[in-house]
Amino acid sequence: MDYDIADPSLAELGGRRIEWAGRRMPVLANIRERFEADQPLAGITIGACMHVTTETANLMTVLRAGGAAVTLCASNPLSTQDDVAAALVADGVPVYAVRGEDSETFYRHINAVLDTRPDLVFDDGCDMTTVLHEERADQPVIGGMEETTTGVIRLRAMENEGVLRFPVVAVNDSDTKHLFDNRHGTGQSSLDGILRSANVLFAGRTVVVGGYGDCGLGIANRADGLGAKVIVVESDPVRALSAAMDGHQVMTSHDAAPLGDVFITATGDIHVFRAEHFEAMKDSVILANAGHFDVELDLKALGEMAVGYRELRDNLGEYTLPDGRRILVVAEGRLVNLGAAEGHPADVMDMSFADQALAAEWLTVNGASLDAKVYVLPKELDDQVATLKLESMGCGLEQLTDEQVAYLNSWQHGT
Ligand code: NAI
């Protein structure tokens, strides 16, 4: 078996961590049982470009249980957990991922996975799908799955330009994904990354959050819960208003720059904080990015402004400006929760990856009859995942009476 990982001897540690994550993924376990019995992915080859984490390892296991052959590479150079990669290889899954790999290796690994000629591709950020369009346009694919907002934005741009060549399920857009993973997962784990790298107290500090979409909302509300004063910078008027009514201060990036102690971006946009902001920031501010790509903080500009740079702590770089002020950057401006912590907890990835597994099954059944478009999974599947998760949490779900169903479906009743 061909693979490329950092250190096969880490397999035992990775195996234990994968087991612990698996214990907190009951919905995925439920799907696994059904997949083992029904073999819905029999004969299917899957190529996955995803964060190589304990939760992804559990998803790979479920896809294999369903009959698929899977190969995995990283969707971010800094998110790979080398022990997980080793455990998967020991379990017979070819993995091409090394934490800290350079851009050339990152794409060599994507191409190694695509050399297996996958029927289905799992992507997180659309890099593998882009290679399939730019460099491997003749390679047949039944369909794809996309995990994150930025990837879906790129796919919709491809669809709008008429270049998308196979159907893709925007798994991110399932309610059981983005309302929980993006909010609660990113909210908690982004702060976890800042805590592990800088170990600062949030209480009493001013935290500036760039973007108040699902991720930004989660980050802002968790920072608030830790006692921080939260400022939101948002370009969409409705979302900005929503932040204001959630109790946060809302202002422009220009006004927020001199006030913040910690800045966290989650926009999917470029250069949210840039030279003009760095000029205005206080000494020893901390910058972190939770958005998919490392473009939200203009680190090129910061590097050009700085007269010094050093690694202050693990995953914490320190730039010194000519006037002596220092600006700290977590995990090189890459996904803070995966670069400086372990990513989302398994409890929430349970739903995201249940959606992924169901999307693979749905595409295997329906792929041939679908157009080359971006699809969202049917609501029944969202409801199925939510119901299973509620059951696993011991929650009761109210059942409507026949009278209530009839009432809600009628229009004749008035005051
Ligand atoms: P979203 O679309 O729900 O929210 C983004 C928000 O940023 C929008 O409200 C938009 O108006 C705002 N925005 C855009 N440009 C801005 C700017 N220059 N200044 C201020 N606000 C701006 O997207 P979502 O789901 O919150 O995702 C955000 C990013 O996080 C994406 O890149 C996504 O792929 C990534 N992501 C990261 C995860 C992680 O594990 N770190 C998990 C899920 C998503």
Side-chain angles (χ1 to χ4, degrees):
M1 182 177 93
D2 192 35
Y3 59 85
D4 186 12
I5 60 171
D7 183 358
S9 74
L10 298 172
E12 205 266 334
L13 169 65
R16 273 186 279 130
R17 293 180 58 245
I18 292 167
E19 181 196 322
W20 168 232
R23 247 190 268 173
R24 290 177 293 128
M25 303 180 88
V27 180
L28 202 57
N30 181 294
I31 292 172
R32 179 190 172 136
E33 256 178 50
R34 184 170 63 75
F35 274 20
E36 265 167 358
D38 297 351
Q39 294 290 293
L41 305 177
I44 295 286
T45 303
I46 288 175
C49 178
M50 306 183 87
H51 302 299
V52 181
T53 62
T54 55
E55 296 80 18
T56 301
N58 277 285
L59 173 62
M60 296 301 114
T61 311
V62 171
L63 299 174
R64 286 170 94 202
V70 297
T71 307
L72 173 67
C73 66
S75 58
N76 184 292
L78 213 54
S79 63
T80 297
Q81 297 170 7
D82 289 323
D83 58 337
V84 171
L88 279 167
V89 165
D91 199 25
V93 178
V95 178
Y96 298 86
V98 176
R99 182 180 159 93
E101 63 193 18
D102 61 19
S103 179
E104 186 268 323
T105 312
F106 179 80
Y107 280 101
R108 181 160 49 76
H109 285 164
I110 287 182
N111 277 295
V113 171
L114 291 177
D115 284 345
T116 65
R117 304 194 67 79
D119 303 305
L120 298 179
V121 290
F122 283 69
D123 218 347
D124 187 332
C126 198
D127 286 336
M128 179 175 270
T129 307
T130 300
V131 171
L132 273 167
H133 282 73
E134 287 183 340
E135 294 163 33
R136 292 174 173 252
D138 297 335
Q139 190 167 325
V141 174
I142 295 175
M145 263 73 54
E146 174 52 54
E147 169 75 4
T148 198
T149 316
T150 284
V152 174
I153 290 171
R154 294 174 81 185
L155 286 165
R156 293 230 157 88
M158 291 165 95
E159 182 184 332
N160 290 341
E161 281 182 25
V163 297
L164 187 64
R165 64 183 186 85
F166 48 80
V168 182
V169 177
V171 174
N172 179 75
D173 292 3
S174 289
D175 284 346
T176 45
K177 198 281 182 183
H178 72 102
L179 293 179
F180 302 91
D181 166 319
N182 300 28
R183 285 189 188 175
H184 300 284
T186 313
Q188 177 170 311
S189 62
S190 296
L191 298 193
D192 184 15
I194 295 169
L195 290 171
R196 290 192 202 197
S197 59
N199 194 24
V200 286
L201 186 73
F202 273 79
R205 291 199 186 233
T206 299
V207 174
V208 180
V209 180
Y212 203 69
D214 287 316
C215 294
L217 183 150
I219 293 167
N221 291 346
R222 290 297 172 266
D224 180 62
L226 286 177
K229 290 171 271 185
V230 176
I231 296 175
V232 170
V233 174
E234 170 56 73
S235 57
D236 177 275
V238 175
R239 292 190 180 191
L241 183 62
S242 163
M245 294 219 182
D246 284 346
H248 307 306
Q249 291 186 69
V250 176
M251 60 182 79
T252 64
S253 57
H254 174 84
D255 290 345
L259 303 179
D261 298 304
V262 179
F263 294 77
I264 311 170
T265 50
T267 67
D269 198 3
I270 192 167
H271 298 168
V272 180
F273 296 113
R274 45 192 186 271
E276 68 198 72
H277 303 111
F278 306 146
E279 293 287 4
M281 287 176 181
K282 295 190 280 195
D283 180 34
S284 290
V285 296
I286 295 169
L287 311 186
N289 165 50
H292 186 78
F293 285 118
D294 59 345
V295 297
E296 304 210 12
L297 304 168
D298 188 356
L299 294 185
K300 185 163 175 288
L302 184 58
E304 285 164 5
M305 289 164 71
V307 292
Y309 176 81
R310 63 175 172 159
E311 276 289 324
L312 186 60
R313 288 163 52 100
D314 282 354
N315 296 313
L316 191 65
E318 181 188 65
Y319 294 81
T320 304
L321 300 180
D323 60 6
R325 279 179 305 124
R326 289 148 301 182
I327 293 187
L328 303 158
V329 178
V330 183
E332 301 167 19
R334 296 192 185 276
L335 289 162
V336 57
N337 56 330
L338 285 142
E342 293 171 69
H344 298 0
D347 317 68
V348 77
M349 293 313 293
D350 189 22
M351 289 131 77
S352 309
F353 285 170
D355 288 327
Q356 288 280 9
L358 295 178
E361 182 180 30
W362 187 78
L363 264 182
T364 303
V365 174
N366 300 298
S369 61
L370 298 174
D371 297 325
K373 287 185 174 163
V374 180
Y375 290 85
V376 179
L377 282 180
K379 179 163 166 43
E380 304 87 78
L381 296 182
D382 243 342
D383 287 350
Q384 187 183 324
V385 170
T387 304
L388 287 170
K389 190 69 179 176
L390 282 167
E391 278 170 13
S392 78
M393 294 170 73
C395 300
L397 182 65
E398 183 71 353
Q399 299 300 313
L400 300 179
T401 63
D402 292 344
E403 181 193 32
Q404 289 168 333
V405 172
Y407 178 81
L408 292 172
N409 287 318
S410 66
W411 56 270
Q412 290 90 349
H413 313 279
T415 48

